[in-house]
Amino acid sequence: MTYTPPKLLSFEEFIAQYGDNTRYELIDGELRDMEPTGPHEAVAGNIAGRIYVEIFRANLNWLIPKTCLIKPLNAVATALRPDVIVLDQEELNQEPLWQKEPVICNGSTIKLVAEVVSTNWQDDYARKVEEYAFLNIPEYWIVDFRGLGGMQFIGNPKQPTFTICQLVNGVYQQQQYRLGDPIFSPLLPNLQLMLDNLMPR
């Protein structure tokens, strides 16, 4: 029996075939199924709604697009599709692809990214921590509402965990929160948030 590796896709091929399909993202040419479920989407929507309320309350010139891809400038075959992304509207005119595709290339346009952890948790806790730090995204939230991540990331016993990664000198400093903990976001310091409020019903 011979092993046939999956065909690698370029960024352009991915956009043409899967650009409108929110189920997939591209990492180093490999198509990744993000395996969204109803509870996963409910948590992501809840996060986006709470952030939007704070954006309006604080009168910030930010937006949360319905769908959006991140194409790191130096990556030729990567297109990340965060569950929630907050963009600085003033920076959008510097984006080379934005007028034709909902694609962000410049980290300076992104204020915050949130990923809701699913079975491919390794991407959220390892690969994307590096990618988002390299893009200088100020804040990255990892919302592991089912406690799926490895014990080296969320501890033992595994339990629902909300991790806020704050960029300090190019490296994310991570703060973890559990059920019952008030969550503090350095980017949105007045946001009232607890993991309990995000859990699917």
Side-chain angles (χ1 to χ4, degrees), residues 9-28:
L9 295 173
S10 69
F11 174 78
E12 290 74 19
E13 289 170 329
F14 173 78
I15 290 293
Q17 295 176 47
Y18 301 99
D20 295 334
N21 191 332
T22 58
R23 186 178 181 101
Y24 298 101
E25 63 184 356
L26 186 70
I27 296 182
D28 294 334

Side-chain angles (χ1 to χ4, degrees), residues 123-143:
D123 287 337
D124 296 329
Y125 280 105
R127 174 62 190 261
K128 290 181 181 178
V129 168
E130 291 186 9
E131 289 280 6
Y132 294 155
F134 184 73
L135 284 163
N136 287 314
I137 297 173
E139 205 163 291
Y140 170 34
W141 297 0
I142 306 171
V143 185

Side-chain angles (χ1 to χ4, degrees), residues 76-87:
V76 293
T78 294
L80 304 173
R81 192 184 301 275
D83 292 308
V84 180
I85 185 169
V86 179
L87 304 178

Side-chain angles (χ1 to χ4, degrees), residues 43-159:
V43 171
N46 202 340
I47 292 165
R50 288 170 186 275
I51 294 173
Y52 240 136
V53 168
E54 185 59 19
I55 288 172
F56 283 119
R57 192 202 64 73
N59 197 28
L60 300 169
N61 192 20
W62 300 351
L63 65 89
I64 301 175
K66 181 173 174 277
T67 60
C68 186
L69 289 165
I70 300 173
K71 180 191 183 295
L73 270 178
N74 297 328
V76 293
T78 294
L80 304 173
R81 192 184 301 275
D83 292 308
V84 180
I85 185 169
V86 179
L87 304 178
D88 184 337
Q89 294 198 73
E90 289 183 17
E91 296 289 329
L92 284 175
N93 59 1
Q94 303 298 319
E95 286 294 338
L97 303 175
W98 182 255
Q99 295 304 319
K100 294 184 178 176
E101 299 279 355
V103 177
I104 297 298
C105 298
N106 302 321
S108 59
T109 305
I110 305 167
K111 305 303 287 184
L112 181 149
V113 168
E115 296 286 4
V116 179
V117 175
S118 54
T119 52
N120 59 348
W121 56 264
Q122 296 90 339
D123 287 337
D124 296 329
Y125 280 105
R127 174 62 190 261
K128 290 181 181 178
V129 168
E130 291 186 9
E131 289 280 6
Y132 294 155
F134 184 73
L135 284 163
N136 287 314
I137 297 173
E139 205 163 291
Y140 170 34
W141 297 0
I142 306 171
V143 185
D144 194 347
F145 72 96
R146 283 192 236 140
L148 295 174
M151 286 186 283
Q152 71 270 34
F153 297 110
I154 63 172
N156 187 9
K158 293 179 19 166
Q159 60 185 304

